[in-house]
Amino acid sequence: MSNGIVSSILLALNAKAKIAIIVVCALILLWMIIVIVHLARKKKREQPEAQAAPALPVKEEEPEAPKEEAPTYVEDIPEEFPEETPEEEEELSLSESLAEAKDFGASGIVTKESIIDHLASMFGDQVELNGRANRTPNGKLLLSDNHFAFSQDGKRVCFTYVYQDDDGDVIILLRTTAEHAHEIHLAHKHTGVRSAFPKNKERDWYSVVVDDTFTADAVYDILDKAVWNIIGHVAPVEEEPEDISLSESLAEAKDFGASGIVTKKSIIDHLAAKFGDKVELNGRENRTPNGKLLLSDNHFAVSPKGKKVCFAYVYEDDDGDVIILLRTTAAHAQDIHTEHDGTGFRSAFPKNKERDWYSVVVDDTFSEEDVYEALDRAAINIIGEPAPEKAPEHEYTLSESLAAAHESGKVGVVTKKSIIEDLSAKYGDKVELNGRENRTPNGKLLMSDTHFALADGKRVCFTYVYEDEGKVMMLIRLSEKEAQEVHAAHSHTCFKSAFPKNKEKDWYSVVVDGSFTGAVVYEVLDKAYAYVLTK
């Protein structure tokens, strides 16, 4: 009956009312489901407490120290991480340091010589200074100056290697602390990196390329600090004297100057003769047109990279007294002051950030040569040291070459006859071979075989071959590069020969000693044959 009532009611309702009733019922059903789920979760959380056994009275005892339980699951085991290994700091090889100097170096700031001068004046017998030429005798490798300091217990410790390349760029390998190297790197960002050479267990060598962020004094300061690290105490702090103004310098010249030692003109004449086009010399009148002010001659030097740098202002007053404002190193200025006590002080004019101008009053402690020497040194700081004149290479006379063969030649490596056979087999009618007896008929003189290369109508001698008691000496024509290669492989021979004489001076004396094999001798002759065909 109730079903019938419900059915009649539903039939009486229209479609919209039916839909509304269905939605309401659905919402009520959804709410009921949510309530049931919530109650079920709550009951589950309370269930462990309900199942726990009631507490029983127990005898009170001293609590035991808790025992460590073995972990039940793999996840319980604390994961062990290896200690982090710090990333290895970059180390520059020597070749990389030298390449950095070529790319970023600034010539003329310091030189190997100026560094020695500074360290000698600063530390005296507390350092051992070893200056060497810039390159090895064959010109292939750069040579370093190696300088040592003496610790308080008398230990001799190397603190720097100083290299100077052909452009005047300087690179310093410096033994110092990591903190000092970091300071250098902060001030000069392209340098101050750890060096792989020299190798030591402390790894405390650093590469310092002297670039244009340095002044001479900055370079000397880092070297000084490296020395103090070894000597064992800090550098003494000295009160720096005030810079002298231009007017004070001119007043000094009036009070203490000695006229007639040099003049503005004689200085120009000297610098022009000494340096030629490496300096620009600007001579002017002694005074302005109104006669009120002194005028200076301003002189410039040209660096290896073509930069013009002023190195001297020269004033001459009405009495002929001369005062020079000189741009130079602190070490040079100290030398001047040591020899000429009344002068060599820092000058406030001209003003620059390097503060490397010094006042030099020419007084009666100077000779003319002293003045020129001071100017020369200031100019050379910028121009760079002149290349030393290459000593003429010794040319071996024929008798010296034959004596060398008699002394160090090896019997049986090759003979005159075997050389002819080898050349004949290789070159056929492209070579003219002239074999002769080993000695003249009277037996007093050795005779050579003379062999010629033939090509395109040319007939060019490329070797004289001598044989004495089975020992062979050859005079051969080679390029300088090929001769150096032969000498590098056989260090006791392949020297320039005075005989035969020609304008190319390309004859070399080769003694066949124990460093040769027959095959190597024939290879050298092949080089000589090929070389003369290019002439």
Side-chain angles (χ1 to χ4, degrees):
M1 179 178 175
S2 60
N3 288 341
I5 294 170
V6 171
S7 300
S8 62
I9 292 171
L10 290 172
L11 289 171
L13 295 172
N14 58 29
K16 289 183 179 179
K18 290 177 182 178
I19 291 169
I21 291 170
I22 292 168
V23 169
V24 169
C25 291
L27 290 172
I28 293 170
L29 181 61
L30 178 62
W31 178 79
M32 290 174 66
I33 291 169
I34 291 169
V35 170
I36 291 167
V37 170
H38 175 71
L39 291 173
R41 286 181 177 174
K42 184 176 180 183
K43 186 176 180 181
K44 189 174 180 180
R45 284 197 299 270
E46 292 172 351
Q47 190 171 359
E49 296 177 9
Q51 290 177 351
L56 296 175
V58 294
K59 184 179 177 181
E60 290 186 7
E61 293 180 356
E62 287 292 322
E64 293 183 10
K67 294 181 180 179
E68 278 191 301
E69 291 186 2
T72 310
Y73 304 105
V74 173
E75 295 91 278
D76 294 334
I77 302 173
E79 186 176 356
E80 293 185 4
F81 292 94
E83 290 185 15
E84 287 190 14
T85 304
E87 190 175 335
E88 191 75 12
E89 185 181 348
E90 178 191 6
E91 290 186 347
L92 288 185
S93 67
L94 177 57
S95 57
E96 288 174 322
S97 293
L98 296 173
E100 289 278 316
K102 190 162 284 297
D103 290 342
F104 302 108
S107 62
I109 295 173
V110 291
T111 63
K112 287 169 73 171
E113 185 184 355
S114 74
I115 286 173
I116 287 176
D117 291 343
H118 167 77
L119 293 172
S121 65
M122 184 75 180
F123 296 104
D125 59 5
Q126 291 179 298
V127 290
E128 177 190 306
L129 308 172
N130 299 292
R132 300 193 290 177
N134 287 355
R135 285 192 173 272
T136 52
N138 62 11
K140 289 184 177 178
L141 298 175
L142 286 174
L143 278 173
S144 65
D145 289 357
N146 305 337
H147 304 320
F148 297 78
F150 295 98
S151 66
Q152 289 181 335
D153 59 3
K155 189 176 179 183
R156 174 177 171 269
V157 184
C158 185
F159 67 91
T160 188
Y161 287 54
V162 183
Y163 296 84
Q164 182 175 329
D165 67 18
D166 301 330
D167 298 324
D169 301 320
V170 170
I171 182 265
I172 298 169
L173 301 182
L174 192 72
R175 188 175 191 182
T176 191
T177 63
E179 293 77 13
H180 184 205
H182 184 61
E183 290 170 8
I184 295 169
H185 184 64
L186 288 178
H188 313 278
K189 64 180 181 180
H190 286 298
T191 198
V193 180
R194 196 186 299 276
S195 174
F197 172 81
K199 191 176 286 296
N200 66 346
K201 65 180 180 181
E202 294 87 356
R203 297 178 64 218
D204 55 0
W205 284 92
Y206 296 86
S207 166
V208 178
V209 173
V210 179
D211 60 21
D212 57 9
T213 65
F214 281 88
T215 63
D217 285 342
V219 177
Y220 301 143
D221 283 347
I222 67 171
L223 287 162
D224 291 351
K225 193 163 183 179
V227 175
W228 292 117
N229 289 341
I230 296 164
I231 289 175
H233 53 86
V234 297
V237 178
E238 296 181 6
E239 189 176 340
E240 191 170 352
E242 284 187 23
D243 296 351
I244 294 178
S245 68
L246 177 58
S247 57
E248 287 173 322
S249 294
L250 296 173
E252 288 279 320
K254 186 165 284 299
D255 289 342
F256 302 107
S259 63
I261 295 173
V262 290
T263 64
K264 286 168 74 172
K265 183 179 183 305
S266 74
I267 286 173
I268 287 177
D269 292 343
H270 166 78
L271 292 172
K274 176 87 173 178
F275 297 106
D277 59 3
K278 292 181 180 178
V279 290
E280 179 186 298
L281 308 172
N282 299 291
R284 299 192 291 177
E285 297 296 325
N286 287 354
R287 286 192 172 273
T288 53
N290 61 14
K292 291 185 177 179
L293 298 174
L294 287 174
L295 279 172
S296 65
D297 290 356
N298 306 337
H299 304 319
F300 295 77
V302 182
S303 76
K305 294 183 179 178
K307 186 178 179 182
K308 286 197 305 182
V309 182
C310 187
F311 68 93
Y313 285 56
V314 183
Y315 295 85
E316 184 178 335
D317 67 18
D318 302 331
D319 298 324
D321 301 319
V322 170
I323 182 261
I324 300 169
L325 302 181
L326 196 67
R327 188 176 191 181
T328 192
T329 64
H332 183 203
Q334 181 61 45
D335 288 346
I336 294 171
H337 180 65
T338 300
E339 292 181 28
H340 312 279
D341 188 51
T343 196
F345 299 106
R346 198 190 302 273
S347 175
F349 173 80
K351 190 178 287 295
N352 66 347
K353 66 178 182 180
E354 293 87 358
R355 298 180 64 214
D356 55 0
W357 285 92
Y358 295 86
S359 167
V360 178
V361 173
V362 181
D363 59 22
D364 58 10
T365 66
F366 282 86
S367 67
E368 184 178 8
E369 287 307 313
D370 290 338
V371 178
Y372 297 151
E373 186 181 322
L375 287 158
D376 292 351
R377 190 162 160 187
I380 287 170
N381 287 343
I382 298 160
I383 295 167
E385 289 289 344
E389 290 186 17
K390 191 176 179 181
E393 188 177 350
H394 175 69
E395 294 184 349
Y396 275 59
T397 64
L398 179 56
S399 58
E400 287 175 322
S401 295
L402 294 172
H406 184 75
E407 190 72 30
S408 59
K410 184 176 180 182
V411 174
V413 179
V414 290
T415 63
K416 287 167 76 172
K417 184 173 180 293
S418 73
I419 287 173
I420 287 176
E421 289 171 351
D422 177 76
L423 293 172
S424 177
K426 281 180 183 168
Y427 301 109
D429 60 2
K430 293 182 179 177
V431 66
E432 178 188 309
L433 306 170
N434 299 291
R436 297 192 290 178
E437 296 296 324
N438 287 355
R439 286 190 173 269
T440 54
N442 62 11
K444 290 184 176 180
L445 298 176
L446 287 172
M447 293 181 70
S448 66
D449 290 357
T450 50
H451 305 318
F452 295 78
L454 307 174
D456 301 326
K458 288 198 296 187
R459 175 179 176 270
V460 190
C461 184
F462 65 94
T463 186
Y464 287 56
V465 183
Y466 295 84
E467 184 178 337
D468 182 22
E469 298 177 355
K471 298 175 180 179
V472 171
M473 189 278 291
M474 304 181 296
L475 302 179
I476 57 175
R477 287 184 75 180
L478 289 173
S479 69
E480 186 174 358
K481 180 174 180 293
E482 289 170 328
Q484 287 175 350
E485 289 170 356
V486 175
H487 179 68
H490 311 278
S491 59
H492 293 293
T493 194
C494 200
F495 299 106
K496 201 174 282 290
S497 175
F499 172 80
K501 192 177 288 292
N502 67 346
K503 65 179 181 181
E504 292 91 351
K505 300 180 75 176
D506 54 3
W507 283 94
Y508 293 85
S509 164
V510 176
V511 172
V512 179
D513 60 19
S515 66
F516 285 88
T517 63
V520 172
V521 174
Y522 302 143
E523 185 181 315
V524 172
L525 286 162
D526 291 342
K527 288 180 179 179
Y529 176 90
Y531 169 70
V532 297
L533 291 180
T534 66
K535 306 311 285 178

